[in-house]
Amino acid sequence: MLLSLLRIHLRPHRRSVALLVLLQLVQVLATLALPTLGAAIIDKGVVRSDSGYITRTGLTMLAVALLQIATSVGAVSLSARTAMALGRDLRSAVFRRVLDFSAREVGQLGTPSLMTRTVNDVQQVQMLALSAFGVAVAAPLMCLGSIALALQQDVGLSLVLVALVVVLGLAFGLILGRTDRFYARMQKYLDRTNGLLRERITGVRVVRAFVRDDHEGERFSRVNSELHGISLHVGRLLAAIIPVVLFALNAFMVAVLWFGAHRVASGEVPFGALSAFLSYLSLVLMAVVMVTFVCLALPRARVSAERIQQVLTTEPSVAAPPDPVRVAPTAGALELCGAEFRYPGAKDPVLSGIDLRTGPGETVAILGSTGSGKTTLLNLVLRHFDVTAGSVNVGGVDVRALDGEVLRRTVGFVPQRPYLFSGTVAGNLRFGVPDATDEELWRVLEIAQARDFVQRLPGGLNAPITQGGTNVSGGQRQRLSIARTLLRKPDIYLFDDCFSALDYATDAALRAALEPELSRATVLTVAQRVSTVQHARRIVVLDAGRMVATGTHDELLRTSATYQEIARSQLTTSNGHHGGSGPDAGTTTTPQEAVHGLGGPR
């Protein structure tokens, strides 16, 4: 998995990789040549007192050393640039794939896990690449070259180097083979830690309101302790590598000196050859140390690569059409024909048998109890999910065949929980229309009843907005979100109970200002209060994912038991107070009277 990931994402950098291999090859050859030249100076220059040979060979060694330094600097610089580019490309690939996911894939993988995979897992692969680029060619060539050149000096002593490589290879295999499963668990604990931290920060007000600081601290401490335990276990395994390497190297160094001294004393091996042997043993040591750093990063990078590949190979359940329709023939038309949506493996559908047709100039209200499928219906229009049966048509075209950009331009959506991005008021409003003028911004703010509070903010349109819009109230976020959608002027507006945080006066003023603005658009609005939808041209009542009634407010009060039940649940008793006492206690109004009493005409 790791090799496959690297092969795919290093393909655009193959020229840099080829140049890196060439630089390392020259560097290794220069490094290997120095001990042989040093041995020649001893045996042919120092022993024979040939100063001319010493000078010539010394100058050659100086040139080789300069070449080694130059290629080494170039290789290090190029490897760092290539590794950073690899990390950049991987993060970009994961980010783009996540943007293609529907809510189903995001829910399956989890937001904290996706964040960890995008940042931490990519960093592990990037660090492995940085380490590997430095040893991918250098370490094997240096190790094999040292053994080959040592064989030219003396075959008997060369067997010591071969034995050293075999022993270290077996030791690495035994130690590193046990770390994969622990690294997999470590990354999962990182996901959980990330999730708890994110939950604790975003829910800090709720935690403090219910005085659950100690409880949340204990939850985090438990997961943190588990992560600490796994990390400690892996650290102990990896910590054994360095002592094993040092012990083996020192043991074989003693063996080389012991046997080499006897062979030099007997005249079988020249003194320069023993010196070269010690240099080659040092080069093997250098190669082993480089490989050690890669081996330390390899198990975790392998696990991280599998997690990254899982994201990259997950196919979105909402796939782009192969031959998308780029022009909607009927502007503003919206039609759901027998639409059904069922989660994978679920026994019952969330929505079933939804038939709804509407067009420009019509406002259709969707009303139902909590969990009746109102928001899911809007998500089907937006194609956050695909229907499991039936069809959803926008502009006369099935949304599954419509180009994604065309769908986003055609349909404007205001969620119940609006999200504002860090930046300024103007930056958030221009999110969909980057070239909008200040006059256009003030106009939509006026319609959304947000002009007054924006003018009071320090800086006005340039007033800062924190991530999520936490420095403004919920009602202000809703109004800014409505203004942001109005600026785009889509053909179809979807309002998902986005007036819930507004007081009645602001709600009434906003709806009055929206009426002429949306007179030629198709409007689908979700609400839970009967009083907010009673003047809609058509009201659709959902119950348990099915359309149980449709009509005007007055018609539904006469004909729909579900609508009457919703109305009764919102009526007031005893002069407008639940559970009142006194002479009027127990007196109730009719559903129609009660509904009108809740909000009055708008």
Side-chain angles (χ1 to χ4, degrees):
M1 189 70 70
L2 177 61
L3 291 177
S4 174
L5 187 72
L6 291 175
R7 184 172 60 252
I8 293 172
H9 291 277
L10 283 176
R11 192 171 298 156
H13 310 286
R14 53 183 177 271
R15 291 184 179 178
S16 297
V17 174
L19 179 58
L20 176 62
V21 169
L22 179 61
L23 289 174
Q24 288 185 347
L25 179 62
V26 175
Q27 174 195 347
V28 170
L29 292 177
T31 303
L32 292 174
L34 289 175
T36 300
L37 293 173
I41 286 179
I42 294 175
D43 293 334
K44 299 179 181 180
V46 176
V47 173
R48 299 176 183 176
S49 300
D50 188 345
S51 59
Y53 183 85
I54 294 175
T55 302
R56 292 191 302 272
T57 308
L59 291 175
T60 303
M61 290 184 68
L62 179 61
V64 171
L66 291 175
L67 178 63
Q68 178 198 25
I69 293 172
T71 53
S72 176
V73 171
V76 169
S77 176
L78 191 58
S79 65
R81 291 175 56 188
T82 307
M84 297 306 108
L86 172 66
R88 177 201 62 201
D89 294 346
L90 280 176
R91 281 190 295 271
S92 179
V94 174
F95 180 76
R96 288 196 303 269
R97 174 58 71 175
V98 172
L99 288 182
D100 292 336
F101 284 167
S102 69
R104 181 183 300 174
E105 287 77 47
V106 174
Q108 287 174 347
L109 293 172
T111 301
S113 180
L114 288 173
M115 294 173 63
T116 303
R117 295 173 198 234
T118 307
V119 179
N120 185 271
D121 286 317
V122 170
Q123 185 179 20
Q124 301 305 322
V125 175
Q126 177 180 289
M127 294 308 297
L128 173 72
L130 182 60
S131 301
F133 285 152
V135 302
V137 176
L141 282 180
M142 192 175 296
C143 188
L144 295 176
S146 296
I147 294 174
L149 292 176
L151 285 171
Q152 293 182 356
Q153 302 292 333
D154 186 74
V155 176
L157 287 178
S158 300
L159 296 178
V160 177
L161 297 181
V162 175
L164 171 63
V165 174
V166 173
V167 169
L168 291 178
L170 292 175
F172 282 178
L174 291 174
I175 295 174
L176 298 177
R178 302 177 57 190
T179 58
D180 275 17
R181 64 179 185 274
F182 293 112
Y183 273 126
R185 291 172 61 187
M186 182 186 295
Q187 294 304 108
K188 289 181 180 179
Y189 281 126
L190 275 175
D191 289 345
R192 292 177 59 185
T193 304
N194 191 7
L196 285 176
L197 182 61
R198 183 171 178 267
E199 189 178 72
R200 178 67 175 82
I201 293 174
T202 56
V204 61
R205 296 181 181 178
V206 177
V207 172
R208 291 176 180 173
F210 287 90
V211 196
R212 300 292 284 175
D213 297 79
D214 293 341
H215 172 74
E216 291 299 312
E218 291 174 1
R219 287 179 63 201
F220 187 83
S221 295
R222 284 196 299 269
V223 176
N224 196 28
S225 297
E226 291 170 345
L227 177 60
H228 168 262
I230 292 294
S231 302
L232 193 62
H233 193 86
V234 173
R236 287 170 179 161
L237 282 174
L238 298 182
I241 290 180
I242 300 300
V244 168
V245 170
L246 294 178
F247 176 79
L249 288 173
N250 285 308
F252 281 98
M253 182 75 75
V254 171
V256 168
L257 290 173
W258 177 268
F259 293 110
H262 284 288
R263 294 176 70 81
V264 168
S266 63
E268 299 177 12
V269 176
F271 181 75
L274 180 60
S275 174
F277 253 97
L278 294 176
S279 297
Y280 288 130
L281 186 60
S282 299
L283 292 179
V284 171
L285 167 62
M286 185 184 303
V288 168
V289 170
M290 290 191 295
V291 171
T292 300
F293 284 113
V294 176
C295 291
L296 292 176
L298 180 61
R300 190 172 187 179
R302 188 160 53 231
V303 172
S304 295
E306 292 175 359
R307 288 159 53 88
I308 294 171
Q309 196 71 0
Q310 184 183 7
V311 176
L312 297 178
T313 56
T314 297
E315 291 297 329
S317 57
V318 178
D323 187 18
V325 177
R326 302 188 185 279
V327 178
T330 310
L334 175 61
E335 182 179 12
L336 288 85
C337 302
E340 176 189 287
F341 177 73
R342 184 193 306 265
Y343 286 104
K347 180 180 179 182
D348 300 315
V350 179
L351 286 175
S352 179
I354 304 297
D355 290 296
L356 176 64
R357 293 174 180 82
T358 184
E362 185 176 9
T363 297
V364 177
I366 309 295
L367 189 71
S369 58
T370 301
S372 59
K374 304 185 297 297
T375 300
T376 302
L377 190 150
L378 299 187
N379 284 329
L380 292 179
V381 177
L382 292 164
R383 213 190 170 208
H384 291 168
F385 303 106
D386 273 341
V387 291
T388 51
S391 64
V392 177
N393 301 322
V394 169
V397 181
D398 193 316
V399 293
R400 290 169 291 189
L402 194 61
D403 182 75
E405 292 187 5
V406 175
L407 178 62
R408 301 296 180 266
R409 288 197 304 266
T410 303
V411 181
F413 177 57
V414 185
Q416 182 180 9
R417 296 179 179 178
Y419 188 88
L420 300 180
F421 297 90
S422 57
T424 63
V425 172
N428 274 277
L429 295 179
R430 292 192 176 106
F431 193 73
V433 187
D435 57 349
T437 64
D438 287 355
E439 289 74 15
E440 291 174 318
L441 300 187
W442 285 118
R443 177 179 173 275
V444 294
L445 288 172
E446 181 76 31
I447 297 172
Q449 308 302 303
R451 184 184 184 106
D452 291 342
F453 87 79
V454 171
Q455 286 177 332
R456 291 194 298 268
L457 293 174
L461 289 175
N462 294 318
I465 297 293
T466 59
Q467 184 179 6
T470 54
N471 62 330
V472 294
S473 70
Q476 291 170 339
R477 285 197 297 272
Q478 285 189 340
R479 283 177 279 169
L480 289 175
S481 182
I482 292 170
R484 180 171 58 191
T485 302
L486 289 173
L487 189 64
R488 294 183 57 201
K489 299 179 180 179
D491 296 328
I492 300 172
Y493 288 85
L494 305 181
F495 296 118
D496 186 8
D497 200 17
C498 57
F499 309 98
S500 57
L502 305 181
D503 59 83
Y504 280 108
T506 305
D507 190 337
L510 175 55
R511 290 178 185 276
L514 284 175
E515 187 173 349
E517 184 70 17
L518 307 181
S519 60
R520 297 183 180 181
T522 303
V523 180
L524 202 62
T525 179
V526 164
Q528 297 188 29
R529 296 199 304 252
V530 172
S531 59
T532 62
V533 301
Q534 58 183 338
H535 290 291
R537 182 173 300 181
R538 183 157 39 123
I539 302 172
V540 174
V541 182
L542 293 183
D543 185 30
R546 292 182 174 273
M547 287 179 58
V548 295
T550 182
T552 65
H553 170 71
D554 292 332
E555 291 172 350
L556 292 174
L557 281 176
R558 292 194 304 269
T559 61
S560 173
T562 303
Y563 192 78
Q564 292 174 7
E565 183 180 350
I566 295 173
R568 289 193 189 98
S569 69
Q570 298 176 10
L571 64 81
T572 56
T573 61
S574 302
N575 295 325
H577 298 283
H578 286 287
S581 60
D584 295 325
T587 302
T588 60
T589 59
T590 66
Q592 187 171 1
E593 294 169 340
V595 170
H596 282 293
L598 282 174
R602 297 184 185 277

